Amino acid sequence: MIPEYKQPEKPLLTLTLGHLYPDQLNLYGDRGNIMTLRRRCEMRGIELRVVGLGIGDALAPDEYDMLFIGGGQDKEQAPVAQDLYDIKGIGLWAAVEDDMPVLAVCGGFQLLAHYYRPAEGPDMRGLGVFDAWTIHKGAHVARCVGDIAISWNGQTLVGFENHGGRTYLGTAKPLGRVLKGHGNNAEDRTEGAVYRNTFGTYLHGSLLPKNPHFADHLIRLALQRKYGPLVEADELKGPGGEFEEVSNNHREPRAILREKIGEQLTPIDDTLEWEAHTFVLERLGLHSAAAKVLSSTIQ
Ligand code: GLN
């Protein structure tokens, strides 16, 4: 039974998300990913602050708990690639190596690999977080467009893809395996890439509204990284029932924890989200996957 949603009076936990290039990279509702993260945090008494990081802005990794970078057309990607490499590269690498959750969609994903070779113009140098590279084979080769479903952690992720570039993985681990759709290159059924807590993917859609389990995965990673192993709220109550300040972690000694997040975030009524998820699976003809999702998620 999912408890009725009640907005807490004041947030007990705070996360800060750095949104890279919100003006340049914002295709197919990528902003919806951030709205989803914010809403799912709010519903658990967690404040999600969002800071836009445009061209020329430095990226100080200590100021953020999560990063998001969306997709864009080739002409928007070029100045972004330059800025990412020249200005934000070192900060972003530090964040990645320090296990910050980073979500990079489509054009953003391409720029976290070694390079993107567009149909026209020079190669765009990427950060090389993923051992992978992307080649656009020219206007005569069909783009990878349409709904897509992949397997991820024994579950499914659904989204919409639209990319001309084909990504090839070197040693990078894929995010998932394509069930229906194109994925990285329409050849090897790999989709996306993962390094530490950095996730690259071609799934727009937006991704997170239709994949609440993935949204919660990112939130959980960010909370655990910031606040450390999480404990039951009741364990934190003082003799009078009030919450005590606890020091359970080197990063955030003042944390007052409300959730037993280490195991599970407070459940949210995701009936609509799972209906949207299964709708895409059904449309792709993945009926048994859709039935599995429905039976395991919708109460
Ligand atoms: N410009 C890139 C491509 O076509 C990325 C597109 C996108 O982000 N949707 O491959």
Coordinates of all heavy atoms in Angstrom, one line a residue, residues 201-262:
T201 N 23.5 7.3 -22.8 CA 22.4 6.6 -23.5 C 21.9 7.4 -24.6 O 22.0 8.6 -24.6 CB 21.3 6.3 -22.5 OG1 20.3 5.5 -23.2 CG2 20.7 7.5 -21.8
Y202 N 21.3 6.7 -25.6 CA 20.6 7.4 -26.7 C 19.1 7.6 -26.3 O 18.4 8.1 -27.2 CB 20.7 6.6 -28.0 CG 22.0 7.0 -28.7 CD1 23.0 6.0 -28.9 CD2 22.2 8.3 -29.3 CE1 24.2 6.4 -29.5 CE2 23.4 8.6 -29.9 CZ 24.4 7.7 -30.0 OH 25.6 8.0 -30.7
L203 N 18.7 7.2 -25.2 CA 17.2 7.3 -24.9 C 16.8 8.7 -24.4 O 17.1 9.1 -23.3 CB 16.9 6.2 -23.8 CG 16.5 4.8 -24.3 CD1 17.7 4.2 -25.0 CD2 16.1 4.0 -23.1
H204 N 16.1 9.3 -25.4 CA 15.4 10.5 -25.0 C 14.0 10.1 -24.6 O 13.7 8.9 -24.4 CB 15.2 11.5 -26.2 CG 16.4 12.0 -26.7 ND1 17.0 13.2 -26.2 CD2 17.2 11.7 -27.8 CE1 18.0 13.5 -27.0 NE2 18.2 12.6 -27.9
G205 N 13.1 11.0 -24.6 CA 11.7 10.6 -24.5 C 10.7 11.4 -23.8 O 9.6 11.4 -24.2
S206 N 11.0 12.0 -22.7 CA 12.2 12.0 -21.9 C 12.5 10.6 -21.3 O 11.5 9.8 -21.1 CB 12.2 13.0 -20.8 OG 11.9 14.3 -21.3
L207 N 13.6 10.3 -20.9 CA 14.0 9.0 -20.4 C 13.3 8.8 -19.0 O 12.7 7.8 -18.8 CB 15.5 8.9 -20.3 CG 16.1 7.8 -19.5 CD1 15.8 6.4 -20.3 CD2 17.6 7.9 -19.4
L208 N 13.6 9.7 -18.1 CA 13.2 9.4 -16.7 C 11.7 9.3 -16.4 O 11.3 8.5 -15.5 CB 14.0 10.3 -15.7 CG 15.5 10.2 -15.9 CD1 16.2 11.2 -14.9 CD2 16.0 8.8 -15.7
P209 N 10.9 10.2 -17.0 CA 9.5 10.1 -16.7 C 8.9 8.7 -16.9 O 8.0 8.2 -16.2 CB 8.8 11.1 -17.6 CG 9.9 12.1 -17.9 CD 11.2 11.3 -17.9
K210 N 9.4 8.0 -18.0 CA 8.9 6.7 -18.3 C 9.7 5.6 -17.7 O 9.3 4.4 -17.9 CB 8.9 6.5 -19.8 CG 8.0 7.4 -20.6 CD 7.8 6.8 -22.0 CE 7.2 7.8 -22.9 NZ 8.2 8.8 -23.5
N211 N 10.7 5.9 -16.9 CA 11.6 4.9 -16.3 C 11.8 5.3 -14.9 O 13.0 5.6 -14.5 CB 12.9 4.7 -17.1 CG 12.6 4.2 -18.5 OD1 12.4 3.1 -18.7 ND2 12.7 5.2 -19.5
P212 N 10.8 5.2 -14.0 CA 11.0 5.7 -12.6 C 12.0 4.9 -11.8 O 12.6 5.4 -11.0 CB 9.6 5.5 -12.0 CG 8.8 4.5 -12.9 CD 9.4 4.7 -14.3
H213 N 12.2 3.6 -12.2 CA 13.2 2.8 -11.5 C 14.6 3.3 -11.8 O 15.5 3.3 -10.9 CB 13.1 1.3 -11.9 CG 13.1 1.1 -13.4 ND1 12.6 1.9 -14.3 CD2 13.6 0.0 -14.1 CE1 12.8 1.4 -15.5 NE2 13.3 0.2 -15.4
F214 N 14.8 3.9 -13.0 CA 16.2 4.4 -13.4 C 16.3 5.8 -12.7 O 17.4 6.1 -12.2 CB 16.3 4.5 -14.9 CG 17.7 4.8 -15.3 CD1 18.8 4.0 -14.9 CD2 17.9 5.8 -16.3 CE1 20.0 4.3 -15.3 CE2 19.2 6.1 -16.7 CZ 20.3 5.3 -16.2
A215 N 15.3 6.6 -12.6 CA 15.3 7.8 -11.9 C 15.7 7.6 -10.5 O 16.6 8.3 -9.9 CB 14.0 8.6 -12.0
D216 N 15.1 6.7 -9.9 CA 15.3 6.4 -8.4 C 16.8 5.8 -8.2 O 17.4 6.1 -7.2 CB 14.3 5.4 -7.9 CG 13.0 6.1 -7.5 OD1 13.0 7.4 -7.7 OD2 12.1 5.4 -7.0
H217 N 17.2 5.1 -9.2 CA 18.6 4.6 -9.1 C 19.6 5.8 -9.0 O 20.5 5.7 -8.2 CB 18.9 3.7 -10.4 CG 20.2 3.1 -10.4 ND1 20.6 2.2 -9.4 CD2 21.3 3.2 -11.2 CE1 21.9 1.8 -9.7 NE2 22.3 2.4 -10.8
L218 N 19.4 6.8 -9.9 CA 20.3 7.9 -9.9 C 20.2 8.7 -8.5 O 21.2 9.1 -8.0 CB 19.9 8.9 -11.0 CG 20.1 8.3 -12.4 CD1 19.6 9.2 -13.5 CD2 21.6 7.9 -12.7
I219 N 18.9 8.8 -8.1 CA 18.7 9.6 -6.8 C 19.4 8.8 -5.6 O 20.1 9.4 -4.8 CB 17.2 9.8 -6.5 CG1 16.6 10.7 -7.6 CG2 17.0 10.3 -5.1 CD1 15.1 10.7 -7.5
R220 N 19.2 7.5 -5.6 CA 19.8 6.7 -4.6 C 21.3 6.8 -4.6 O 22.0 7.0 -3.5 CB 19.3 5.2 -4.8 CG 19.4 4.4 -3.5 CD 18.9 3.0 -3.8 NE 17.5 2.9 -4.1 CZ 17.1 2.5 -5.3 NH1 17.9 2.1 -6.3 NH2 15.8 2.5 -5.6
L221 N 21.9 6.7 -5.8 CA 23.4 6.8 -5.9 C 23.8 8.2 -5.3 O 24.8 8.3 -4.6 CB 23.8 6.7 -7.3 CG 23.7 5.3 -8.0 CD1 24.0 5.4 -9.5 CD2 24.7 4.4 -7.3
A222 N 23.1 9.2 -5.7 CA 23.5 10.6 -5.2 C 23.4 10.7 -3.7 O 24.2 11.3 -3.0 CB 22.7 11.6 -5.9
L223 N 22.3 10.2 -3.2 CA 22.1 10.3 -1.7 C 23.1 9.5 -1.0 O 23.7 9.9 0.0 CB 20.7 9.7 -1.3 CG 19.5 10.6 -1.7 CD1 18.2 9.9 -1.5 CD2 19.5 11.9 -0.9
Q224 N 23.4 8.3 -1.4 CA 24.4 7.4 -0.7 C 25.8 8.0 -0.8 O 26.5 8.0 0.1 CB 24.4 6.0 -1.4 CG 23.1 5.2 -1.0 CD 23.0 3.9 -1.6 OE1 23.7 3.6 -2.6 NE2 22.2 3.1 -1.1
R225 N 26.1 8.7 -1.9 CA 27.4 9.3 -2.1 C 27.5 10.5 -1.2 O 28.6 10.7 -0.5 CB 27.6 9.7 -3.5 CG 28.9 10.4 -3.8 CD 28.9 10.7 -5.3 NE 30.1 11.5 -5.6 CZ 30.1 12.9 -5.4 NH1 29.1 13.5 -5.0 NH2 31.2 13.5 -5.7
K226 N 26.4 11.2 -1.0 CA 26.5 12.4 -0.2 C 26.4 12.2 1.3 O 27.1 12.7 2.1 CB 25.4 13.4 -0.6 CG 25.5 14.7 0.2 CD 24.6 15.8 -0.5 CE 24.7 17.1 0.3 NZ 23.9 18.1 -0.2
Y227 N 25.4 11.3 1.6 CA 25.1 11.1 3.0 C 25.6 9.8 3.6 O 25.4 9.5 4.8 CB 23.6 11.2 3.2 CG 23.0 12.6 2.9 CD1 22.3 12.8 1.7 CD2 23.2 13.6 3.8 CE1 21.8 14.1 1.5 CE2 22.7 14.9 3.6 CZ 22.0 15.1 2.4 OH 21.6 16.4 2.1
G228 N 26.2 9.0 2.8 CA 26.8 7.7 3.3 C 25.7 6.7 3.6 O 24.6 6.8 3.1
P229 N 26.1 5.6 4.3 CA 25.1 4.5 4.5 C 23.9 5.1 5.3 O 24.1 5.9 6.2 CB 25.9 3.5 5.4 CG 27.3 4.0 5.3 CD 27.3 5.4 4.9
L230 N 22.8 4.7 4.8 CA 21.6 5.4 5.4 C 20.9 4.6 6.4 O 21.0 3.3 6.4 CB 20.7 5.7 4.2 CG 21.4 6.7 3.2 CD1 20.8 6.6 1.9 CD2 21.4 8.1 3.8
V231 N 20.3 5.2 7.3 CA 19.7 4.5 8.5 C 18.2 4.9 8.6 O 17.7 5.8 8.0 CB 20.4 5.0 9.8 CG1 21.8 4.4 9.8 CG2 20.5 6.5 9.9
E232 N 17.5 4.1 9.4 CA 16.1 4.3 9.6 C 15.9 5.6 10.4 O 16.6 5.9 11.3 CB 15.6 3.2 10.6 CG 15.3 1.9 9.9 CD 14.0 1.9 9.1 OE1 13.5 3.0 8.8 OE2 13.5 0.8 8.8
A233 N 14.9 6.3 10.0 CA 14.6 7.6 10.6 C 14.4 7.4 12.1 O 14.9 8.2 12.9 CB 13.3 8.2 10.0
D234 N 13.8 6.3 12.5 CA 13.5 6.1 13.9 C 14.8 6.0 14.8 O 14.8 6.4 15.9 CB 12.7 4.9 14.2 CG 11.2 5.1 13.8 OD1 10.9 6.3 13.6 OD2 10.5 4.2 13.7
E235 N 15.8 5.5 14.1 CA 17.1 5.4 14.9 C 17.7 6.7 15.2 O 18.6 6.8 16.0 CB 18.1 4.6 14.0 CG 17.8 3.1 13.9 CD 18.7 2.5 12.8 OE1 19.8 2.9 12.7 OE2 18.2 1.5 12.2
L236 N 17.2 7.7 14.5 CA 17.8 9.1 14.7 C 17.0 9.9 15.6 O 17.4 11.1 15.9 CB 17.9 9.8 13.3 CG 18.6 9.0 12.2 CD1 18.6 9.8 10.9 CD2 20.0 8.8 12.6
K237 N 15.9 9.4 16.1 CA 15.1 10.2 17.0 C 15.7 10.3 18.4 O 16.1 9.3 18.9 CB 13.7 9.6 17.0 CG 12.9 10.0 15.8 CD 11.4 9.7 16.0 CE 10.7 10.0 14.7 NZ 9.5 9.1 14.5
G238 N 15.7 11.5 18.9 CA 16.1 11.6 20.3 C 15.1 11.2 21.3 O 14.0 10.7 20.9
P239 N 15.4 11.3 22.6 CA 14.4 10.8 23.6 C 13.0 11.4 23.5 O 12.0 10.8 23.8 CB 15.1 11.1 24.9 CG 16.4 11.9 24.6 CD 16.6 11.9 23.1
G240 N 13.0 12.7 23.1 CA 11.7 13.3 22.9 C 11.0 13.1 21.6 O 10.0 13.7 21.3
G241 N 11.6 12.2 20.8 CA 11.0 11.9 19.5 C 11.5 12.9 18.4 O 11.1 12.7 17.2
E242 N 12.2 13.9 18.7 CA 12.7 14.8 17.7 C 13.9 14.2 17.0 O 14.6 13.3 17.5 CB 13.1 16.2 18.3 CG 14.4 16.2 19.1 CD 14.4 15.5 20.5 OE1 13.4 14.9 20.8 OE2 15.4 15.6 21.1
F243 N 14.2 14.6 15.8 CA 15.3 14.1 15.0 C 16.6 14.7 15.6 O 16.6 15.9 15.9 CB 15.2 14.5 13.6 CG 14.3 13.6 12.8 CD1 13.0 14.1 12.4 CD2 14.6 12.3 12.6 CE1 12.2 13.3 11.7 CE2 13.7 11.5 11.9 CZ 12.5 11.9 11.5
E244 N 17.6 13.9 15.7 CA 18.9 14.4 16.2 C 19.8 14.6 15.0 O 19.7 13.9 14.0 CB 19.5 13.4 17.1 CG 19.0 13.4 18.5 CD 19.7 12.4 19.3 OE1 20.4 11.5 18.8 OE2 19.7 12.5 20.5
E245 N 20.7 15.5 15.1 CA 21.7 15.6 14.1 C 22.7 14.5 14.2 O 23.0 14.1 15.3 CB 22.4 17.0 14.2 CG 21.5 18.1 14.2 CD 22.0 19.3 13.3 OE1 23.2 19.4 13.2 OE2 21.2 20.0 12.8
V246 N 23.0 13.9 13.1 CA 23.9 12.8 13.1 C 25.2 13.0 12.3 O 25.1 13.8 11.3 CB 23.2 11.5 12.6 CG1 22.2 11.0 13.6 CG2 22.7 11.7 11.2
S247 N 26.2 12.3 12.6 CA 27.4 12.4 11.9 C 27.7 11.0 11.4 O 28.4 10.2 12.1 CB 28.5 13.0 12.7 OG 29.7 12.9 12.0
N248 N 27.2 10.6 10.3 CA 27.4 9.3 9.8 C 28.3 9.2 8.6 O 28.4 8.2 7.9 CB 26.1 8.6 9.5 CG 25.5 9.1 8.3 OD1 25.7 10.2 7.9 ND2 24.6 8.3 7.7
N249 N 28.9 10.3 8.3 CA 29.6 10.4 7.0 C 30.5 11.5 6.9 O 30.3 12.6 7.4 CB 28.4 10.5 5.9 CG 29.0 10.7 4.5 OD1 29.5 11.8 4.2 ND2 28.9 9.7 3.7
H250 N 31.6 11.3 6.2 CA 32.6 12.3 6.1 C 32.2 13.5 5.3 O 32.7 14.6 5.4 CB 33.9 11.8 5.6 CG 33.8 11.2 4.2 ND1 33.1 10.1 3.9 CD2 34.2 11.7 3.0 CE1 33.2 9.9 2.6 NE2 33.8 10.9 2.0
R251 N 31.3 13.3 4.4 CA 30.9 14.4 3.5 C 29.9 15.4 4.1 O 30.0 16.6 3.8 CB 30.2 13.8 2.2 CG 31.2 13.1 1.3 CD 30.3 12.6 0.1 NE 31.1 11.5 -0.5 CZ 31.9 11.7 -1.5 NH1 32.2 12.9 -1.9 NH2 32.6 10.7 -2.0
E252 N 29.0 14.9 4.8 CA 27.9 15.8 5.2 C 27.5 15.5 6.7 O 26.6 14.8 7.0 CB 26.7 15.5 4.3 CG 25.6 16.5 4.4 CD 25.9 17.8 3.7 OE1 27.0 17.8 3.0 OE2 25.2 18.8 4.0
P253 N 28.3 16.0 7.6 CA 28.1 15.6 9.0 C 26.8 16.1 9.6 O 26.4 15.5 10.6 CB 29.3 16.3 9.7 CG 29.8 17.3 8.8 CD 29.5 16.9 7.4
R254 N 26.1 17.0 9.0 CA 24.9 17.5 9.6 C 23.7 16.8 9.1 O 22.6 17.2 9.3 CB 24.8 19.0 9.3 CG 25.8 19.8 10.0 CD 25.8 21.2 9.4 NE 26.2 21.3 8.0 CZ 25.3 21.3 7.0 NH1 24.0 21.3 7.2 NH2 25.7 21.3 5.8
A255 N 23.9 15.7 8.4 CA 22.7 15.1 7.7 C 21.7 14.6 8.7 O 22.0 14.0 9.7 CB 23.2 13.9 6.9
I256 N 20.5 14.9 8.4 CA 19.4 14.4 9.2 C 18.6 13.5 8.3 O 18.0 13.9 7.3 CB 18.5 15.5 9.8 CG1 19.3 16.5 10.6 CG2 17.3 14.9 10.6 CD1 18.5 17.7 10.9
L257 N 18.7 12.2 8.5 CA 18.1 11.3 7.5 C 16.7 10.8 7.9 O 16.5 10.5 9.0 CB 19.1 10.1 7.4 CG 20.5 10.5 7.0 CD1 21.4 9.3 6.9 CD2 20.5 11.3 5.7
R258 N 15.9 10.8 6.9 CA 14.5 10.5 7.1 C 14.2 9.1 6.6 O 13.3 8.4 6.9 CB 13.7 11.5 6.4 CG 12.2 11.3 6.4 CD 11.6 12.5 5.8 NE 10.2 12.2 5.5 CZ 9.9 11.8 4.3 NH1 10.7 11.7 3.3 NH2 8.6 11.5 4.0
E259 N 15.0 8.6 5.7 CA 14.7 7.4 4.9 C 15.7 6.3 5.1 O 16.9 6.6 5.4 CB 14.8 7.8 3.4 CG 14.0 9.0 3.1 CD 12.9 8.8 2.1 OE1 12.6 7.6 1.9 OE2 12.5 9.7 1.5
K260 N 15.3 5.1 4.9 CA 16.2 4.0 4.9 C 16.6 3.8 3.4 O 16.2 2.9 2.8 CB 15.6 2.8 5.5 CG 16.6 1.7 5.7 CD 15.9 0.5 6.4 CE 16.9 -0.6 6.6 NZ 16.3 -1.8 7.1
I261 N 17.3 4.8 3.0 CA 17.6 4.8 1.5 C 18.5 3.7 1.1 O 18.5 3.3 -0.1 CB 18.1 6.2 1.1 CG1 17.0 7.2 1.5 CG2 18.3 6.3 -0.4 CD1 17.6 8.6 1.7
G262 N 19.3 3.3 1.9 CA 20.3 2.2 1.6 C 19.6 1.0 0.9 O 20.2 0.4 0.1

